[in-house]
Amino acid sequence: MIALELTDIEYSYRRNTALRGVSLQVEAGEIVAITGASGCGKSTLLHCAAGILTPDKGSVRLDGQDLAELSADARAALRRTKIGVVLQFGQLVPDLPLIDNVALPLLLAGHQRSEAHEHAREWLTQVGIQDEADAVPSELSGGQTQRAAIARALVSGPSVVLADEPTGSLDSRAGKELLDVLVSTARYRGAALVMVTHDNLVAAAANREIRLRDGVIQHEVAL
Amino acid sequence: MTIETLLLLARTRTDADRSRIRLATAALAFSGALLIDAVHIGLLGSRELSYETSSRYVTELGLRPGLIAVLVVLSALAASLAVQALRIGTAARDRRFAALELAGATKGQVRRLSTVDAGLIGLFGGLLSGPLYAILTLLFSWFPPLVRVFPGTSVTDVGVWAAVTVVLTVSGTAIGHFTYRSPATRTSSVRLPRVMGMASGAALLVIGLVSAVAYVLPAMPLTLAGLVLLWMTLAPLRIQALGRRLSASGDPARLLASARLINDTRSVARLGALLLGCAFLVGVVTQMSLEILREANSYDLAFYLTGMVMSALALVLMAAIALAALTVGVADQLVDQRRQLACLTALGVDVTFLRRVVRGQIAMVAAPALMTGTCLGLLAGPSGLATYLVEPLPLLYLAGGLAGLLLLSWGFAVGGASLAGYLLRNQLRDALDPENLRAA
Amino acid sequence: MATAELVLGLLSAGPAHGYDVKRGHDSWFPDGRPLAFGQVYTTLGRLERDGLVEVVEKTSGGGPDRTVYALTDKGRKHLADWLVDPVPPAWGSADEVLRKLVAAVRTGGDAAAFLARQRASHLRRIRELQESPAGQDPTSPLVRDYTVAHLDADLRWLDSAIERLSEQETS
């Protein structure tokens, strides 16, 4: 089954074109690495897939549903339930304790706090930081913050997890640990995982490498 | 989203946000207390009060409408300050909302949060306004009867208090709803087109000044509104021009201050307009006082001057709070940029230097607004321009008043800026702490 | 290659058969290429000739696998000296990947496709290594890190090679 399908995506920032017609399909449970030099458009592609950016041309389909056909609110709801996003840093609400941060997508969807906390705790355990549930983000190390971000990305049971340089702010050892957590958590959930990275060790964890250059796919190889 | 979640997320915990909320709540409470006072006096109807216990401004039936009008104007000024405090887009708040949107919150949900946030502030401001009114009444009862403009408390005040609370809660909610702008769509916020703002400001100003010849009192608010509108639309241009000029300066303190000004032109311009409004009214009051002093034969000198001084003091208080709002904005920037600032330590930047930057940043906004406002107020007051044409004031009086006001407002701006620098010294030290290099 | 010194190191714990030496080597370098029997015996023979090891036991009629070797004092000293000396940096010796790439570019072959396949092959190797946990002994994780770091370095060079070729193509 195809979890995520991007067709002929084009996107321009004010002056320069970031993507010039990129298509890609991600099967459920697959792990895909998107690589390429800085400025090749890889993060833009991920942001289009996540619905953070709206492409100028082309379509984004999630579990067969075209994002462009949805209202802004429905898109937000879909993002909340079907997609988990992990960025390089800075995605946690600074003044909320971890448990609430992780429970956030469920709380926003209208779940009771106690119920949301129960799920959040499960995922905090899954990523190995259940002891930090009551800490606020500023009290945590970079690796712990990223783990919390992974837990939050998965708490609502998404079919696709999108990660933009998830280990970018970490040293190689913490990065490896985080990568293991990310891959095993996505597998545990059975979600497809799409990672944008310039780190070969992260790319090596994928089943497929898609390499971008100047906004087009340069090559695509199975790993 | 459940109510519990809504309240959880609306509650704010960062320091910069808390001081913003404290400021807004205090301003609303003050505004509410003045409103209760106005209603209380209004409800007196034609009832007589003893000269022993209350000020003549309250006891003399003919003066009551005037006093009520003054109270309402002051209340509105305080409320506009609250709006301003609510609108200060603290960086921490923007980041929070961005993070929420990333977690899948819809625009509507984030707007609802902002609405609840402001509604709560209105509620607390309203709840505090009653006790504040009682405290002010008590405080003023220690002064000589002439200044007792708070005519005591009564049972009906409780009802008025409740009504004021409801009004403030509702208006807080409305402000929160309409002033919310998504951090992602920064440029598309609702705003008056510059040309239209400039044109209507200029038109109001001209109408105000011209009609002042015939109708002195109604012309004043027109003049004031025109001035404020013009300032709000022109000040961003001026600040940007100033910033560009300063950014060519060799002094690194000025360079930094200008960069920060350019960054946040609009809210700075709004606070500048508020300062200008206060300063204008101070100028008007000063002019009226000068007029009274000139006709020194009046046996009521004490009566008039007390009123003038009290109004002037209330306005100065308002200006001080507006300066405080400006300071909160600066403090917020500091917290937000603490990492970059900590990097500056390596370049030899210390707290003294940063205090100079902050002082410059505040004085650059406050001084021109205050100086322009007082001078224009002095010239365009009720017995101003029109009268000067018919019956010129002795040059000495005018020049003296003008020079005095210019000096005072400059001193107020610079003094306030220095005070702000002093008050922020701990934040500045924290901001420069190399420890910040660790935290993102 | 320092196979001789490694064999001395493997014998430093006590006398051993050639077979034990081979087993020891392969467990020290679990991700590396296994040591061939032939190489073990030729190395032991050369070391014996140089007086660095000696035969301490020889079962009658047995082949080479019946012989037990031990370190001599001279061998122990040689090993200690070897461990003190830093290794001179590599002299830019061309490995197979570089040879193929140069040949592909010079002969007008599809260098870009070769590089993409080579990247995939390296990435696959890293994944295999990352997926099987390194042994618990003190040296296995070191060996693992070394191998992965070198593959990573190769990949980074492959990256820049791809970029460079693309630039040459577009200009």
XYZ file of all heavy atoms in Angstrom, chain B residues 375-427:
375
model
N 5.076 69.808 22.908
C 5.127 71.092 22.196
C 3.828 71.338 21.446
O 3.245 72.432 21.535
C 6.276 71.108 21.199
S 7.831 71.238 22.046
N 3.353 70.332 20.737
C 2.120 70.515 19.972
C 0.948 70.773 20.903
O 0.088 71.606 20.626
C 1.850 69.286 19.097
C 2.782 69.174 17.896
C 2.485 67.904 17.121
C 2.617 70.388 16.998
N 0.935 70.068 22.037
C -0.134 70.260 23.007
C -0.146 71.684 23.521
O -1.189 72.329 23.633
N 1.043 72.154 23.798
C 1.179 73.504 24.325
C 0.684 74.524 23.299
O 0.012 75.491 23.636
C 2.654 73.772 24.656
C 2.946 75.093 25.368
C 2.442 75.034 26.793
C 4.419 75.397 25.342
N 1.010 74.271 22.043
C 0.650 75.240 21.005
C -0.815 75.125 20.596
O -1.455 76.105 20.253
C 1.542 75.046 19.775
C 3.006 75.405 20.006
C 3.833 75.057 18.779
C 3.143 76.885 20.341
N -1.356 73.890 20.645
C -2.685 73.679 20.082
C -3.756 73.459 21.145
O -4.845 73.001 20.850
C -2.645 72.496 19.129
N -3.461 73.767 22.387
C -4.414 73.578 23.477
C -5.653 74.446 23.287
O -5.753 75.180 22.308
N -6.623 74.352 24.221
C -7.925 75.019 24.063
C -7.790 76.534 23.847
O -8.540 77.116 23.083
C -8.657 74.721 25.368
C -7.601 74.231 26.303
C -6.537 73.608 25.488
N -6.820 77.158 24.532
C -6.674 78.588 24.286
C -5.391 78.801 23.490
O -4.660 79.749 23.686
C -6.641 79.357 25.601
O -5.834 78.668 26.525
N -5.138 77.853 22.614
C -3.872 77.857 21.883
C -3.897 78.683 20.625
O -4.386 79.813 20.633
N -3.460 78.084 19.543
C -3.233 78.759 18.262
C -4.217 79.890 17.973
O -3.811 81.026 17.738
C -3.316 77.742 17.126
C -2.068 76.873 16.936
C -2.247 75.953 15.748
C -0.841 77.766 16.769
N -5.535 79.531 18.062
C -6.563 80.513 17.705
C -6.415 81.764 18.547
O -6.382 82.891 18.032
C -7.934 79.894 17.910
N -6.277 81.541 19.848
C -6.181 82.672 20.754
C -4.891 83.456 20.530
O -4.877 84.681 20.584
C -6.233 82.179 22.206
O -7.060 81.041 22.258
C -6.751 83.253 23.128
N -3.799 82.683 20.265
C -2.510 83.343 20.087
C -2.591 84.350 18.953
O -1.964 85.399 18.979
C -1.390 82.352 19.782
C -1.153 81.348 20.876
C -0.639 80.101 20.588
C -1.430 81.660 22.215
C -0.407 79.178 21.584
C -1.210 80.745 23.222
C -0.702 79.498 22.896
O -0.490 78.593 23.872
N -3.404 84.000 17.939
C -3.495 84.876 16.781
C -4.163 86.199 17.165
O -3.739 87.274 16.781
C -4.278 84.199 15.660
C -3.593 82.969 15.062
C -4.482 82.344 13.991
C -2.234 83.348 14.480
N -5.236 86.072 17.950
C -6.002 87.256 18.347
C -5.228 88.049 19.401
O -5.050 89.251 19.320
C -7.369 86.840 18.911
C -8.200 88.074 19.226
C -8.072 85.925 17.932
N -4.755 87.284 20.376
C -4.177 87.948 21.549
C -2.869 87.220 21.896
O -2.867 86.287 22.670
C -5.178 87.833 22.710
C -4.759 88.475 23.988
C -5.648 87.998 25.132
O -6.706 87.406 24.852
O -5.272 88.194 26.286
N -1.767 87.625 21.278
C -0.523 86.852 21.431
C -0.079 86.783 22.896
O -0.162 87.776 23.620
C 0.482 87.652 20.606
C -0.317 88.606 19.799
C -1.589 88.841 20.505
N 0.329 85.583 23.253
C 0.879 85.373 24.592
C 2.210 86.113 24.664
O 2.914 86.198 23.659
C 1.148 83.896 24.804
C 0.187 83.090 25.663
C 0.444 81.624 25.435
C 0.335 83.416 27.107
N 2.542 86.615 25.817
C 3.887 87.181 25.936
C 4.909 86.130 25.519
O 4.816 84.971 25.935
C 4.014 87.487 27.423
C 2.620 87.579 27.924
C 1.780 86.708 27.045
N 5.826 86.551 24.693
C 6.813 85.624 24.138
C 7.541 84.890 25.257
O 7.838 83.701 25.153
C 7.799 86.416 23.271
C 8.519 85.582 22.232
C 7.512 85.027 21.230
C 9.588 86.415 21.537
N 7.796 85.589 26.321
C 8.542 85.014 27.440
C 7.806 83.785 27.992
O 8.398 82.737 28.217
C 8.686 86.079 28.533
C 9.660 85.702 29.649
C 11.087 85.671 29.118
C 9.540 86.694 30.802
N 6.490 83.962 28.161
C 5.668 82.867 28.684
C 5.772 81.644 27.786
O 6.030 80.530 28.217
C 4.213 83.323 28.752
C 3.746 83.585 30.151
C 4.130 84.737 30.810
C 2.934 82.669 30.810
C 3.711 84.990 32.108
C 2.511 82.908 32.101
C 2.900 84.077 32.742
O 2.473 84.301 34.008
N 5.550 81.900 26.492
C 5.489 80.806 25.533
C 6.843 80.110 25.436
O 6.942 78.875 25.540
C 5.095 81.367 24.163
C 4.573 80.341 23.165
C 3.323 79.674 23.706
C 4.290 81.024 21.846
N 7.880 80.933 25.277
C 9.221 80.365 25.139
C 9.602 79.604 26.393
O 10.138 78.495 26.335
C 10.228 81.472 24.844
N 9.275 80.213 27.533
C 9.614 79.561 28.807
C 8.911 78.217 28.922
O 9.524 77.194 29.243
N 7.597 78.234 28.633
C 6.822 76.998 28.742
C 7.346 75.937 27.789
O 7.543 74.773 28.153
N 7.650 76.398 26.563
C 8.118 75.468 25.535
C 9.447 74.831 25.950
O 9.615 73.612 25.922
C 8.303 76.253 24.225
C 7.971 75.520 22.934
C 6.567 74.972 22.999
C 8.119 76.472 21.756
N 10.360 75.707 26.369
C 11.690 75.205 26.755
C 11.566 74.253 27.936
O 12.163 73.172 27.951
C 12.595 76.380 27.103
N 10.730 74.667 28.903
C 10.566 73.821 30.087
C 10.019 72.452 29.713
O 10.537 71.419 30.149
N 9.011 72.445 28.871
C 8.393 71.171 28.495
C 9.355 70.296 27.706
O 9.448 69.088 27.929
C 7.138 71.428 27.658
C 5.873 71.675 28.466
C 4.694 71.810 27.530
C 5.629 70.546 29.440
N 10.078 70.943 26.779
C 11.037 70.175 25.978
C 12.062 69.514 26.887
O 12.358 68.321 26.768
C 11.747 71.085 24.974
C 11.003 71.344 23.683
C 11.767 72.317 22.809
C 10.809 70.025 22.947
N 12.561 70.307 27.825
C 13.576 69.794 28.741
C 13.002 68.658 29.582
O 13.616 67.592 29.734
C 14.051 70.942 29.634
C 15.443 70.754 30.228
C 16.460 70.767 29.111
C 15.735 71.839 31.263
N 11.779 68.897 30.098
C 11.150 67.893 30.956
C 10.908 66.592 30.199
O 11.204 65.509 30.688
C 9.824 68.426 31.495
C 9.914 69.246 32.781
C 8.534 69.735 33.182
C 10.526 68.408 33.902
N 10.356 66.720 28.977
C 10.021 65.484 28.258
C 11.290 64.753 27.835
O 11.356 63.527 27.867
C 9.127 65.775 27.059
O 9.585 66.883 26.351
N 12.328 65.533 27.471
C 13.595 64.886 27.125
C 14.141 64.156 28.344
O 14.552 63.000 28.285
C 14.596 65.937 26.632
C 15.904 65.350 26.255
C 16.219 64.722 25.092
C 17.077 65.317 27.065
N 17.516 64.293 25.124
C 18.071 64.655 26.324
C 17.385 65.789 28.354
C 19.357 64.442 26.819
C 18.669 65.576 28.839
C 19.642 64.910 28.079
N 14.074 64.863 29.492
C 14.567 64.256 30.730
C 13.778 63.010 31.077
O 14.341 61.991 31.487
N 12.476 63.092 30.870
C 11.614 61.951 31.186
C 11.994 60.747 30.325
O 12.131 59.630 30.818
C 10.162 62.352 30.940
C 9.166 61.331 31.404
C 8.824 61.241 32.745
C 8.568 60.465 30.497
C 7.904 60.303 33.173
C 7.650 59.517 30.928
C 7.319 59.443 32.270
N 12.186 61.008 29.030
C 12.517 59.912 28.113
C 13.857 59.300 28.458
O 14.001 58.085 28.611
C 12.519 60.419 26.678
N 14.864 60.173 28.607
C 16.210 59.664 28.870
C 16.281 59.022 30.245
O 16.857 57.940 30.430
C 17.243 60.797 28.715
C 18.608 60.328 29.159
C 17.281 61.253 27.275
N 15.632 59.706 31.228
C 15.616 59.155 32.582
C 14.910 57.807 32.602
O 15.389 56.847 33.205
N 13.769 57.753 31.912
C 13.027 56.494 31.864
C 13.845 55.394 31.214
O 13.878 54.253 31.687
N 14.556 55.774 30.139
C 15.382 54.781 29.444
C 16.493 54.281 30.359
O 16.780 53.081 30.411
C 15.955 55.385 28.170
N 17.109 55.223 31.105
C 18.177 54.804 32.011
C 17.626 53.911 33.101
O 18.229 52.898 33.466
C 18.838 56.020 32.657
O 19.299 56.881 31.670
N 16.440 54.295 33.603
C 15.812 53.482 34.644
C 15.538 52.071 34.107
O 15.784 51.067 34.777
C 14.514 54.148 35.093
C 13.777 53.434 36.233
C 14.600 53.523 37.507
C 12.400 54.019 36.448
N 15.046 52.030 32.867
C 14.757 50.724 32.263
C 16.031 49.894 32.172
O 16.049 48.711 32.494
C 14.153 50.909 30.881
N 17.121 50.574 31.747
C 18.409 49.879 31.671
C 18.800 49.334 33.030
O 19.283 48.207 33.164
N 18.541 50.161 34.074
C 18.889 49.732 35.426
C 18.029 48.548 35.847
O 18.513 47.551 36.378
C 18.708 50.907 36.382
C 18.888 50.541 37.830
C 20.172 50.331 38.343
C 17.794 50.380 38.670
C 20.346 49.976 39.667
C 17.958 50.020 39.987
C 19.235 49.823 40.488
O 19.397 49.450 41.797
N 16.713 48.664 35.573
C 15.797 47.591 35.976
C 16.095 46.292 35.241
O 15.876 45.207 35.763
C 14.349 48.007 35.710
C 13.819 49.124 36.594
C 12.420 49.522 36.159
C 13.811 48.682 38.058
N 16.599 46.429 34.022
C 16.833 45.227 33.214
C 18.227 44.645 33.445
O 18.616 43.696 32.780
C 16.678 45.553 31.729
C 15.261 45.748 31.220
C 15.280 46.181 29.778
C 14.469 44.459 31.366
N 18.989 45.236 34.396
C 20.401 44.834 34.493
C 20.572 43.333 34.727
O 21.487 42.717 34.196
C 21.116 45.645 35.577
C 20.655 45.344 36.996
C 21.125 46.414 37.956
N 20.772 46.077 39.316
C 19.537 46.166 39.821
N 18.551 46.559 39.052
N 19.284 45.833 41.072
N 19.639 42.740 35.519
C 19.776 41.304 35.769
C 19.498 40.484 34.527
O 20.194 39.521 34.228
C 18.843 40.878 36.897
C 19.333 41.393 38.229
O 20.554 41.497 38.435
N 18.421 41.752 39.100
N 18.457 40.906 33.787
C 18.159 40.217 32.523
C 19.348 40.323 31.579
O 19.685 39.386 30.887
C 16.935 40.820 31.826
C 15.625 40.200 32.224
C 14.963 40.978 33.318
O 15.639 41.601 34.134
N 13.652 40.945 33.348
